[in-house]
Amino acid sequence: MLRDINFEIGEGETLALVGSNGAGKTTVLKTISGAIEPQKGKISFNEVDITTKDPDETAKLGIAHVPEGREVFPFLSVQENLLQHYHECRTLEKY
């Protein structure tokens, strides 16, 4: 369970989540990407409330959680893996 998480990342900025195992880094990332729904609070991206959006909806906004070492498509780079999902989402929008 996470409590009192608050940060803002401006355009062109980078944020690093650092902590020991079990500190909640993955939980924060999964919550932002929509894989976990927060019990309370609000998540905004470009002034849009994404608190209750699912992973497919957040991926369309350019937010995705790609777990380390899971080899989603092992012969593709990270960028190619992300673009693959992006193109699949765009294809599904047409139908």
Side-chain angles (χ1 to χ4, degrees):
M1 179 181 292
L2 302 172
R3 293 192 177 137
D4 299 322
I5 303 295
N6 186 10
F7 58 86
E8 185 174 321
I9 305 169
E11 187 173 336
E13 294 180 332
T14 302
L15 173 76
L17 294 177
V18 179
S20 61
N21 290 345
K25 301 177 299 292
T26 299
T27 302
V28 169
L29 296 174
K30 284 183 174 183
T31 304
I32 292 169
S33 68
I36 297 174
E37 188 171 328
Q39 293 178 354
K40 60 182 179 176
K42 180 179 175 183
I43 303 169
S44 298
F45 178 70
N46 288 338
E47 300 182 21
V48 174
D49 184 357
I50 62 168
T51 307
T52 59
K53 294 195 180 296
D54 64 32
D56 288 338
E57 293 173 301
T58 59
K60 291 175 187 173
L61 297 172
I63 300 170
H65 180 203
V66 180
E68 177 188 4
R70 301 299 193 271
E71 297 184 2
V72 181
F73 295 105
F75 301 107
L76 300 179
S77 69
V78 171
Q79 181 179 16
E80 290 167 332
N81 271 284
L82 294 173
L83 287 172
Q84 176 68 30
H85 181 72
Y86 171 78
H87 291 301
E88 287 176 16
C89 287
R90 301 275 300 178
T91 300
L92 291 174
E93 285 178 356
K94 295 177 184 177
Y95 296 102

Coordinates of all heavy atoms in Angstrom, one line a residue:
M1 N 0.8 -1.2 0.0 CA 0.0 0.0 0.0 C 0.9 1.2 0.0 O 1.9 1.3 0.7 CB -0.9 0.0 1.2 CG -1.8 1.2 1.3 SD -2.8 1.3 2.7 CE -3.9 0.0 2.4
L2 N 0.5 2.2 -0.8 CA 1.3 3.4 -0.9 C 0.5 4.6 -0.3 O -0.7 4.6 -0.3 CB 1.5 3.8 -2.4 CG 2.3 2.8 -3.2 CD1 2.3 3.2 -4.7 CD2 3.7 2.6 -2.7
R3 N 1.2 5.5 0.3 CA 0.5 6.7 0.9 C 1.3 7.9 0.6 O 2.5 7.9 0.6 CB 0.5 6.5 2.4 CG -0.4 5.3 2.8 CD -0.7 5.4 4.3 NE -1.6 4.3 4.6 CZ -1.5 3.5 5.6 NH1 -0.6 3.6 6.5 NH2 -2.4 2.5 5.7
D4 N 0.6 9.0 0.4 CA 1.1 10.3 0.2 C 2.2 10.4 -0.9 O 3.2 11.0 -0.7 CB 1.7 10.8 1.6 CG 0.7 10.9 2.7 OD1 -0.5 11.3 2.3 OD2 1.0 10.6 3.8
I5 N 1.9 9.9 -2.0 CA 2.7 10.0 -3.2 C 2.3 11.2 -3.9 O 1.2 11.4 -4.3 CB 2.6 8.7 -4.1 CG1 2.9 7.4 -3.4 CG2 3.5 8.9 -5.3 CD1 4.3 7.3 -2.9
N6 N 3.3 12.1 -4.2 CA 3.0 13.3 -5.0 C 4.2 13.8 -5.7 O 5.2 14.0 -5.1 CB 2.5 14.4 -4.0 CG 2.0 15.6 -4.7 OD1 1.9 15.7 -5.9 ND2 1.8 16.7 -3.9
F7 N 4.1 13.8 -7.0 CA 5.2 14.4 -7.8 C 4.7 14.9 -9.1 O 3.6 14.6 -9.5 CB 6.3 13.4 -8.0 CG 5.9 12.1 -8.7 CD1 5.9 12.0 -10.1 CD2 5.6 11.0 -8.0 CE1 5.5 10.9 -10.7 CE2 5.3 9.8 -8.6 CZ 5.2 9.7 -10.0
E8 N 5.4 15.8 -9.7 CA 5.1 16.4 -11.0 C 6.3 16.3 -11.9 O 7.4 16.6 -11.4 CB 4.6 17.8 -10.8 CG 4.2 18.5 -12.1 CD 3.6 19.8 -11.8 OE1 2.9 20.0 -10.8 OE2 3.8 20.7 -12.7
I9 N 6.1 15.9 -13.1 CA 7.2 15.8 -14.0 C 6.9 16.8 -15.2 O 5.9 16.6 -15.9 CB 7.4 14.4 -14.6 CG1 7.6 13.4 -13.4 CG2 8.6 14.3 -15.5 CD1 7.5 12.0 -13.9
G10 N 7.8 17.8 -15.4 CA 7.6 18.7 -16.4 C 8.1 18.2 -17.8 O 8.9 17.2 -17.8
E11 N 7.7 18.9 -18.8 CA 8.1 18.5 -20.2 C 9.7 18.5 -20.2 O 10.3 19.5 -19.8 CB 7.5 19.4 -21.2 CG 7.8 18.9 -22.6 CD 7.1 19.8 -23.7 OE1 6.1 20.4 -23.3 OE2 7.6 19.8 -24.8
G12 N 10.2 17.4 -20.7 CA 11.7 17.3 -20.9 C 12.4 16.9 -19.6 O 13.6 16.7 -19.6
E13 N 11.7 16.7 -18.5 CA 12.3 16.3 -17.3 C 12.3 14.8 -17.1 O 11.5 14.1 -17.8 CB 11.6 16.9 -16.1 CG 11.7 18.4 -16.0 CD 10.9 19.0 -14.8 OE1 10.0 18.4 -14.3 OE2 11.4 20.1 -14.3
T14 N 13.1 14.3 -16.2 CA 13.2 12.9 -16.0 C 13.1 12.7 -14.5 O 13.6 13.5 -13.7 CB 14.5 12.3 -16.4 OG1 14.7 12.5 -17.8 CG2 14.6 10.8 -16.2
L15 N 12.4 11.6 -14.1 CA 12.2 11.3 -12.6 C 12.7 9.9 -12.4 O 12.3 9.0 -13.2 CB 10.7 11.4 -12.2 CG 10.4 11.0 -10.8 CD1 10.9 12.0 -9.8 CD2 8.9 10.7 -10.6
A16 N 13.5 9.6 -11.4 CA 13.9 8.3 -11.1 C 13.2 7.9 -9.8 O 13.3 8.6 -8.8 CB 15.4 8.2 -11.0
L17 N 12.6 6.7 -9.8 CA 12.1 6.1 -8.5 C 13.2 5.2 -8.0 O 13.5 4.2 -8.7 CB 10.8 5.3 -8.8 CG 9.6 6.1 -9.3 CD1 8.4 5.2 -9.6 CD2 9.2 7.2 -8.2
V18 N 13.7 5.4 -6.8 CA 14.7 4.7 -6.3 C 14.3 4.1 -4.9 O 13.7 4.9 -4.1 CB 16.0 5.5 -6.1 CG1 17.1 4.7 -5.5 CG2 16.4 6.1 -7.4
G19 N 14.5 2.9 -4.6 CA 14.2 2.3 -3.3 C 14.5 0.9 -3.2 O 14.7 0.2 -4.3
S20 N 14.4 0.3 -2.1 CA 14.7 -1.1 -1.9 C 13.6 -1.9 -2.4 O 12.5 -1.4 -2.7 CB 15.0 -1.4 -0.4 OG 13.8 -1.0 0.4
N21 N 13.8 -3.2 -2.4 CA 12.8 -4.2 -2.8 C 11.6 -4.0 -1.9 O 11.8 -3.9 -0.7 CB 13.3 -5.6 -2.8 CG 14.3 -5.9 -3.9 OD1 14.4 -5.2 -4.8 ND2 15.0 -7.0 -3.7
G22 N 10.4 -4.0 -2.4 CA 9.2 -3.8 -1.6 C 8.8 -2.4 -1.2 O 7.9 -2.2 -0.5
A23 N 9.6 -1.4 -1.7 CA 9.3 0.0 -1.3 C 8.1 0.5 -2.1 O 7.6 1.6 -1.6 CB 10.6 0.8 -1.6
G24 N 7.7 -0.1 -3.2 CA 6.5 0.4 -3.9 C 6.8 1.0 -5.3 O 5.9 1.6 -5.9
K25 N 8.0 0.9 -5.8 CA 8.3 1.4 -7.1 C 7.4 0.9 -8.2 O 6.8 1.6 -9.0 CB 9.8 1.2 -7.4 CG 10.8 1.8 -6.5 CD 12.2 1.4 -6.8 CE 12.5 -0.1 -6.8 NZ 12.5 -0.7 -5.5
T26 N 7.3 -0.4 -8.2 CA 6.5 -1.1 -9.2 C 5.0 -0.8 -9.1 O 4.3 -0.5 -10.0 CB 6.7 -2.6 -9.2 OG1 8.1 -2.9 -9.5 CG2 5.9 -3.3 -10.2
T27 N 4.6 -0.7 -7.8 CA 3.2 -0.3 -7.5 C 2.9 1.1 -8.1 O 1.8 1.3 -8.7 CB 2.9 -0.4 -6.0 OG1 3.2 -1.7 -5.6 CG2 1.5 -0.1 -5.7
V28 N 3.8 2.0 -7.9 CA 3.6 3.4 -8.4 C 3.5 3.3 -9.9 O 2.6 3.9 -10.5 CB 4.8 4.3 -8.0 CG1 4.7 5.6 -8.8 CG2 4.7 4.6 -6.5
L29 N 4.4 2.6 -10.6 CA 4.4 2.6 -12.1 C 3.1 1.8 -12.6 O 2.5 2.3 -13.6 CB 5.7 1.9 -12.6 CG 6.9 2.6 -12.3 CD1 8.2 1.8 -12.7 CD2 7.0 4.0 -12.9
K30 N 2.7 0.8 -12.0 CA 1.5 0.0 -12.4 C 0.3 0.9 -12.2 O -0.7 0.8 -13.0 CB 1.4 -1.3 -11.6 CG 2.3 -2.4 -12.1 CD 2.1 -3.7 -11.4 CE 2.9 -4.8 -11.9 NZ 2.6 -6.1 -11.2
T31 N 0.3 1.7 -11.1 CA -0.9 2.6 -10.9 C -0.9 3.7 -11.9 O -2.0 4.0 -12.5 CB -0.8 3.2 -9.5 OG1 -0.7 2.1 -8.5 CG2 -2.0 4.0 -9.1
I32 N 0.2 4.3 -12.2 CA 0.2 5.3 -13.3 C -0.2 4.8 -14.6 O -1.0 5.4 -15.4 CB 1.6 6.0 -13.4 CG1 1.9 6.7 -12.1 CG2 1.7 6.9 -14.6 CD1 3.4 7.2 -12.0
S33 N 0.2 3.6 -15.0 CA -0.1 3.0 -16.3 C -1.5 2.4 -16.3 O -2.0 2.0 -17.4 CB 0.9 1.9 -16.7 OG 0.8 0.8 -15.8
G34 N -2.2 2.3 -15.2 CA -3.6 1.8 -15.2 C -3.7 0.3 -14.9 O -4.8 -0.2 -14.9
A35 N -2.6 -0.3 -14.6 CA -2.7 -1.8 -14.2 C -3.3 -2.0 -12.9 O -3.9 -3.0 -12.6 CB -1.4 -2.4 -14.4
I36 N -3.1 -1.0 -12.0 CA -3.7 -1.0 -10.6 C -4.5 0.3 -10.5 O -4.0 1.3 -10.7 CB -2.6 -1.1 -9.6 CG1 -1.8 -2.3 -9.7 CG2 -3.2 -0.9 -8.2 CD1 -0.6 -2.4 -8.7
E37 N -5.7 0.1 -10.0 CA -6.6 1.3 -9.7 C -6.3 1.8 -8.3 O -6.5 1.0 -7.3 CB -8.1 1.0 -9.9 CG -8.9 2.2 -9.9 CD -10.4 1.9 -10.3 OE1 -10.6 1.0 -11.1 OE2 -11.2 2.6 -9.7
P38 N -6.0 3.1 -8.1 CA -5.8 3.6 -6.8 C -7.1 3.6 -5.9 O -8.2 3.8 -6.5 CB -5.3 5.0 -7.0 CG -5.8 5.4 -8.3 CD -5.9 4.1 -9.1
Q39 N -7.0 3.4 -4.6 CA -8.1 3.4 -3.8 C -8.6 4.8 -3.6 O -9.8 5.1 -3.4 CB -7.8 2.8 -2.4 CG -7.5 1.3 -2.5 CD -7.2 0.7 -1.2 OE1 -7.0 1.4 -0.2 NE2 -7.0 -0.6 -1.2
K40 N -7.7 5.8 -3.6 CA -8.1 7.2 -3.6 C -7.0 8.1 -4.2 O -6.0 7.6 -4.5 CB -8.5 7.7 -2.1 CG -7.3 7.5 -1.2 CD -7.8 8.0 0.2 CE -6.7 7.8 1.2 NZ -7.1 8.3 2.5
G41 N -7.3 9.3 -4.4 CA -6.4 10.2 -5.0 C -6.6 10.4 -6.5 O -7.6 9.9 -7.0
K42 N -5.7 11.1 -7.1 CA -5.9 11.4 -8.5 C -4.6 11.4 -9.3 O -3.6 11.7 -8.7 CB -6.5 12.9 -8.6 CG -6.7 13.3 -10.0 CD -7.3 14.8 -10.0 CE -7.5 15.3 -11.4 NZ -7.9 16.7 -11.4
I43 N -4.7 10.9 -10.5 CA -3.5 10.8 -11.4 C -3.8 11.6 -12.6 O -4.8 11.3 -13.3 CB -3.1 9.4 -11.8 CG1 -2.9 8.5 -10.5 CG2 -1.9 9.4 -12.7 CD1 -2.8 7.1 -10.8
S44 N -3.0 12.6 -13.0 CA -3.2 13.4 -14.1 C -2.0 13.3 -15.1 O -0.9 13.2 -14.6 CB -3.4 14.9 -13.7 OG -4.5 15.0 -12.9
F45 N -2.3 13.4 -16.4 CA -1.3 13.5 -17.4 C -1.7 14.5 -18.4 O -2.8 14.4 -19.0 CB -1.2 12.1 -18.1 CG -0.2 12.0 -19.2 CD1 1.2 12.1 -18.9 CD2 -0.6 11.9 -20.5 CE1 2.1 12.1 -19.9 CE2 0.3 11.8 -21.5 CZ 1.7 11.9 -21.2
N46 N -0.9 15.5 -18.6 CA -1.2 16.6 -19.5 C -2.6 17.2 -19.2 O -3.4 17.4 -20.1 CB -1.1 16.2 -21.0 CG 0.3 16.0 -21.5 OD1 1.2 16.5 -20.9 ND2 0.4 15.2 -22.5
E47 N -2.8 17.4 -17.9 CA -4.1 18.0 -17.4 C -5.3 17.1 -17.7 O -6.4 17.6 -17.6 CB -4.3 19.4 -17.9 CG -3.1 20.3 -17.5 CD -3.3 21.7 -18.0 OE1 -4.4 22.1 -18.3 OE2 -2.3 22.4 -18.1
V48 N -5.1 15.9 -18.0 CA -6.2 14.9 -18.2 C -6.2 13.9 -17.0 O -5.2 13.4 -16.7 CB -6.1 14.1 -19.5 CG1 -7.1 13.1 -19.6 CG2 -6.1 15.1 -20.7
D49 N -7.4 13.7 -16.4 CA -7.5 12.8 -15.3 C -7.4 11.3 -15.8 O -8.3 10.9 -16.6 CB -8.8 13.0 -14.5 CG -9.0 12.1 -13.3 OD1 -8.1 11.3 -13.1 OD2 -10.0 12.3 -12.6
I50 N -6.4 10.6 -15.5 CA -6.3 9.2 -16.0 C -6.4 8.2 -14.8 O -6.1 7.0 -15.0 CB -4.9 9.0 -16.7 CG1 -3.7 9.2 -15.7 CG2 -4.8 9.9 -17.9 CD1 -2.4 8.8 -16.3
T51 N -7.0 8.7 -13.7 CA -7.1 7.8 -12.5 C -7.7 6.5 -12.7 O -7.3 5.5 -12.2 CB -7.8 8.6 -11.4 OG1 -7.2 9.9 -11.2 CG2 -7.8 7.8 -10.1
T52 N -8.8 6.5 -13.5 CA -9.6 5.2 -13.7 C -9.4 4.6 -15.1 O -10.1 3.7 -15.5 CB -11.1 5.5 -13.4 OG1 -11.5 6.5 -14.3 CG2 -11.3 5.9 -12.0
K53 N -8.5 5.1 -15.9 CA -8.2 4.6 -17.2 C -7.5 3.3 -17.1 O -6.6 3.1 -16.3 CB -7.4 5.6 -18.1 CG -8.2 6.9 -18.4 CD -7.6 7.6 -19.5 CE -8.3 8.9 -19.8 NZ -9.7 8.7 -20.3
D54 N -7.9 2.3 -18.0 CA -7.2 1.0 -18.0 C -5.9 1.1 -18.9 O -5.7 2.1 -19.5 CB -8.1 -0.1 -18.5 CG -8.6 0.1 -19.9 OD1 -7.8 0.7 -20.8 OD2 -9.7 -0.3 -20.3
P55 N -5.0 0.1 -18.8 CA -3.8 0.2 -19.5 C -3.9 0.5 -21.0 O -3.0 1.2 -21.6 CB -3.2 -1.2 -19.3 CG -3.8 -1.6 -18.0 CD -5.2 -1.1 -18.0
D56 N -4.9 0.0 -21.7 CA -5.1 0.3 -23.1 C -5.3 1.8 -23.3 O -4.8 2.3 -24.3 CB -6.2 -0.5 -23.7 CG -5.9 -2.0 -23.9 OD1 -4.7 -2.3 -23.9 OD2 -6.8 -2.8 -24.0
E57 N -6.1 2.4 -22.5 CA -6.4 3.8 -22.6 C -5.1 4.6 -22.3 O -4.8 5.6 -23.0 CB -7.5 4.2 -21.7 CG -8.8 3.6 -22.1 CD -9.9 3.9 -21.1 OE1 -9.8 3.5 -19.9 OE2 -10.9 4.6 -21.5
T58 N -4.4 4.3 -21.3 CA -3.2 5.0 -21.0 C -2.1 4.8 -22.0 O -1.3 5.8 -22.3 CB -2.6 4.7 -19.6 OG1 -2.3 3.3 -19.5 CG2 -3.6 5.1 -18.5
A59 N -2.0 3.7 -22.6 CA -1.1 3.4 -23.7 C -1.3 4.3 -24.9 O -0.4 4.8 -25.5 CB -1.1 2.0 -24.1
K60 N -2.6 4.6 -25.2 CA -2.9 5.5 -26.3 C -2.4 6.9 -26.0 O -2.2 7.7 -26.9 CB -4.4 5.5 -26.5 CG -4.9 4.2 -27.1 CD -6.4 4.2 -27.2 CE -6.9 2.8 -27.6 NZ -8.4 2.7 -27.6
L61 N -2.2 7.3 -24.7 CA -1.7 8.6 -24.3 C -0.2 8.6 -24.3 O 0.4 9.6 -24.1 CB -2.2 9.0 -22.9 CG -3.7 9.1 -22.8 CD1 -4.1 9.3 -21.3 CD2 -4.2 10.3 -23.6
G62 N 0.4 7.4 -24.5 CA 1.9 7.3 -24.5 C 2.5 6.8 -23.2 O 3.7 6.9 -22.9
I63 N 1.6 6.3 -22.3 CA 2.1 5.7 -21.0 C 1.9 4.2 -21.0 O 0.8 3.7 -21.3 CB 1.2 6.3 -19.8 CG1 1.3 7.8 -19.8 CG2 1.6 5.7 -18.5 CD1 0.3 8.5 -18.9
A64 N 3.0 3.5 -20.7 CA 2.9 2.1 -20.7 C 3.9 1.5 -19.6 O 4.9 2.2 -19.3 CB 3.2 1.5 -22.0
H65 N 3.5 0.4 -19.1 CA 4.4 -0.3 -18.1 C 4.9 -1.5 -18.8 O 4.2 -2.4 -19.2 CB 3.6 -0.7 -16.8 CG 4.5 -1.3 -15.8 ND1 4.0 -2.1 -14.9 CD2 5.8 -1.3 -15.6 CE1 5.0 -2.6 -14.1 NE2 6.1 -2.1 -14.6
V66 N 6.3 -1.6 -19.0 CA 6.9 -2.7 -19.6 C 7.8 -3.3 -18.6 O 8.9 -2.8 -18.3 CB 7.7 -2.3 -20.9 CG1 8.4 -3.5 -21.5 CG2 6.8 -1.6 -21.9
P67 N 7.4 -4.4 -17.9 CA 8.2 -5.0 -16.9 C 9.6 -5.5 -17.4 O 9.7 -6.0 -18.5 CB 7.4 -6.2 -16.4 CG 6.0 -6.0 -16.9 CD 6.2 -5.1 -18.2
E68 N 10.6 -5.3 -16.5 CA 11.9 -5.7 -16.9 C 12.0 -7.2 -16.9 O 11.4 -7.9 -16.1 CB 12.9 -5.2 -15.8 CG 14.3 -5.6 -16.0 CD 15.2 -5.2 -14.8 OE1 14.7 -4.7 -13.8 OE2 16.4 -5.5 -14.9
G69 N 12.8 -7.7 -17.9 CA 13.1 -9.1 -18.0 C 12.0 -10.0 -18.4 O 12.1 -11.2 -18.3
R70 N 10.8 -9.5 -18.8 CA 9.7 -10.4 -19.2 C 9.8 -10.8 -20.7 O 9.0 -11.6 -21.1 CB 8.4 -9.7 -18.9 CG 8.2 -9.3 -17.5 CD 8.2 -10.5 -16.6 NE 7.7 -10.1 -15.3 CZ 8.4 -9.7 -14.3 NH1 9.6 -9.4 -14.4 NH2 7.8 -9.4 -13.1
E71 N 10.7 -10.1 -21.4 CA 10.9 -10.4 -22.8 C 9.6 -10.6 -23.6 O 9.2 -11.6 -24.1 CB 11.7 -11.7 -23.0 CG 13.1 -11.6 -22.4 CD 13.9 -12.8 -22.7 OE1 13.5 -13.8 -23.3 OE2 15.1 -12.8 -22.2
V72 N 8.8 -9.4 -23.6 CA 7.5 -9.4 -24.2 C 7.6 -10.0 -25.6 O 6.9 -10.9 -26.0 CB 7.0 -8.0 -24.2 CG1 5.6 -7.9 -24.9 CG2 6.9 -7.4 -22.8
F73 N 8.5 -9.4 -26.4 CA 8.9 -9.9 -27.7 C 10.4 -10.0 -27.7 O 11.1 -8.9 -28.0 CB 8.4 -9.1 -28.9 CG 6.9 -9.1 -29.0 CD1 6.2 -7.9 -28.6 CD2 6.2 -10.2 -29.5 CE1 4.8 -7.9 -28.7 CE2 4.8 -10.1 -29.6 CZ 4.1 -9.0 -29.2
P74 N 11.1 -11.1 -27.3 CA 12.5 -11.1 -27.0 C 13.4 -10.7 -28.1 O 14.6 -10.3 -27.8 CB 12.7 -12.6 -26.6 CG 11.6 -13.3 -27.2 CD 10.4 -12.4 -27.3
F75 N 13.0 -10.7 -29.3 CA 13.9 -10.3 -30.4 C 13.8 -8.9 -30.9 O 14.4 -8.5 -31.8 CB 13.8 -11.3 -31.6 CG 14.1 -12.7 -31.2 CD1 13.1 -13.6 -31.1 CD2 15.4 -13.1 -30.9 CE1 13.3 -14.9 -30.6 CE2 15.6 -14.4 -30.5 CZ 14.6 -15.3 -30.3
L76 N 12.9 -8.1 -30.1 CA 12.7 -6.7 -30.4 C 13.4 -5.8 -29.4 O 13.4 -6.3 -28.2 CB 11.2 -6.4 -30.5 CG 10.4 -7.1 -31.5 CD1 8.9 -6.7 -31.4 CD2 10.9 -6.9 -32.9
S77 N 13.8 -4.7 -29.7 CA 14.3 -3.7 -28.8 C 13.1 -3.2 -27.9 O 12.0 -3.4 -28.2 CB 15.0 -2.5 -29.5 OG 14.0 -1.8 -30.1
V78 N 13.4 -2.5 -26.9 CA 12.4 -1.8 -26.0 C 11.5 -0.9 -26.9 O 10.3 -1.0 -26.8 CB 13.0 -1.1 -24.8 CG1 12.0 -0.3 -24.1 CG2 13.7 -2.0 -23.9
Q79 N 12.2 -0.1 -27.7 CA 11.4 0.8 -28.6 C 10.5 0.0 -29.5 O 9.4 0.4 -29.7 CB 12.4 1.7 -29.4 CG 11.6 2.7 -30.2 CD 12.6 3.6 -31.0 OE1 13.8 3.3 -31.1 NE2 12.0 4.7 -31.5
E80 N 11.0 -1.0 -30.1 CA 10.2 -1.8 -31.0 C 9.0 -2.5 -30.3 O 7.9 -2.6 -30.9 CB 11.1 -2.9 -31.7 CG 12.1 -2.3 -32.7 CD 13.1 -3.3 -33.2 OE1 13.5 -4.2 -32.4 OE2 13.7 -3.1 -34.3
N81 N 9.3 -2.9 -29.1 CA 8.2 -3.5 -28.3 C 7.1 -2.5 -28.0 O 5.9 -2.8 -28.2 CB 8.7 -4.0 -26.9 CG 9.1 -5.5 -27.0 OD1 8.3 -6.4 -27.0 ND2 10.4 -5.7 -27.0
L82 N 7.5 -1.3 -27.6 CA 6.5 -0.2 -27.4 C 5.8 0.2 -28.7 O 4.5 0.4 -28.6 CB 7.2 1.0 -26.8 CG 7.8 0.8 -25.4 CD1 8.6 2.0 -24.9 CD2 6.7 0.4 -24.4
L83 N 6.5 0.3 -29.8 CA 5.8 0.7 -31.0 C 4.9 -0.4 -31.5 O 3.8 -0.1 -32.1 CB 6.9 0.9 -32.1 CG 7.7 2.2 -31.9 CD1 8.8 2.3 -32.9 CD2 6.7 3.4 -32.1
Q84 N 5.2 -1.7 -31.2 CA 4.3 -2.8 -31.6 C 3.0 -2.6 -30.9 O 1.9 -2.7 -31.5 CB 4.9 -4.1 -31.2 CG 4.1 -5.3 -31.5 CD 3.9 -5.6 -32.9 OE1 4.7 -5.3 -33.8 NE2 2.7 -6.2 -33.3
H85 N 3.0 -2.3 -29.6 CA 1.7 -2.1 -28.9 C 1.0 -0.9 -29.4 O -0.2 -0.9 -29.6 CB 2.0 -2.0 -27.4 CG 0.8 -1.8 -26.6 ND1 -0.1 -2.8 -26.4 CD2 0.2 -0.7 -26.0 CE1 -1.2 -2.3 -25.7 NE2 -0.9 -1.1 -25.4
Y86 N 1.7 0.2 -29.6 CA 1.1 1.4 -30.2 C 0.4 1.1 -31.5 O -0.8 1.5 -31.6 CB 2.2 2.5 -30.4 CG 1.7 3.7 -31.1 CD1 1.0 4.7 -30.4 CD2 2.0 3.9 -32.4 CE1 0.5 5.8 -31.1 CE2 1.5 5.0 -33.1 CZ 0.8 6.0 -32.4 OH 0.3 7.1 -33.1
H87 N 1.0 0.4 -32.4 CA 0.4 0.1 -33.7 C -0.8 -0.8 -33.5 O -1.8 -0.6 -34.2 CB 1.4 -0.5 -34.6 CG 2.5 0.5 -35.1 ND1 2.2 1.7 -35.7 CD2 3.8 0.5 -34.9 CE1 3.3 2.4 -36.0 NE2 4.3 1.7 -35.5
E88 N -0.7 -1.7 -32.6 CA -1.9 -2.6 -32.3 C -3.1 -1.8 -31.8 O -4.2 -2.0 -32.2 CB -1.5 -3.7 -31.3 CG -0.7 -4.7 -31.9 CD -0.2 -5.8 -30.9 OE1 -0.9 -5.9 -29.8 OE2 0.7 -6.5 -31.2
C89 N -2.8 -0.8 -30.9 CA -3.9 0.1 -30.4 C -4.5 0.9 -31.5 O -5.7 1.1 -31.6 CB -3.4 1.0 -29.3 SG -3.0 0.1 -27.8
R90 N -3.7 1.4 -32.4 CA -4.1 2.3 -33.5 C -5.0 1.4 -34.5 O -6.0 1.9 -35.0 CB -3.0 2.9 -34.3 CG -2.1 3.8 -33.4 CD -2.6 5.1 -33.3 NE -2.7 5.7 -34.7 CZ -3.1 6.9 -34.9 NH1 -3.5 7.7 -34.0 NH2 -3.2 7.4 -36.1
T91 N -4.6 0.2 -34.7 CA -5.4 -0.7 -35.6 C -6.7 -1.0 -34.9 O -7.7 -1.0 -35.6 CB -4.6 -2.0 -35.8 OG1 -3.3 -1.7 -36.4 CG2 -5.3 -3.0 -36.7
L92 N -6.8 -1.3 -33.6 CA -8.0 -1.6 -33.0 C -9.0 -0.4 -33.0 O -10.2 -0.6 -33.0 CB -7.8 -2.1 -31.5 CG -7.1 -3.4 -31.4 CD1 -6.7 -3.7 -29.9 CD2 -7.9 -4.5 -31.9
E93 N -8.5 0.8 -33.0 CA -9.3 2.0 -33.0 C -10.1 2.1 -34.3 O -11.2 2.6 -34.3 CB -8.5 3.3 -32.9 CG -8.0 3.5 -31.5 CD -7.1 4.8 -31.4 OE1 -6.8 5.4 -32.5 OE2 -6.7 5.1 -30.3
K94 N -9.6 1.5 -35.4 CA -10.3 1.6 -36.7 C -11.5 0.7 -36.7 O -12.3 0.8 -37.6 CB -9.3 1.2 -37.8 CG -8.1 2.2 -37.9 CD -7.2 1.7 -39.0 CE -6.0 2.7 -39.0 NZ -5.0 2.2 -40.0
Y95 N -11.6 -0.3 -35.8 CA -12.7 -1.3 -35.9 C -13.8 -1.0 -34.9 O -13.8 -0.5 -33.9 CB -12.2 -2.7 -35.7 CG -11.3 -3.1 -36.8 CD1 -9.9 -3.1 -36.6 CD2 -11.8 -3.4 -38.1 CE1 -9.0 -3.4 -37.7 CE2 -10.9 -3.7 -39.1 CZ -9.5 -3.8 -38.9 OH -8.7 -4.1 -39.9

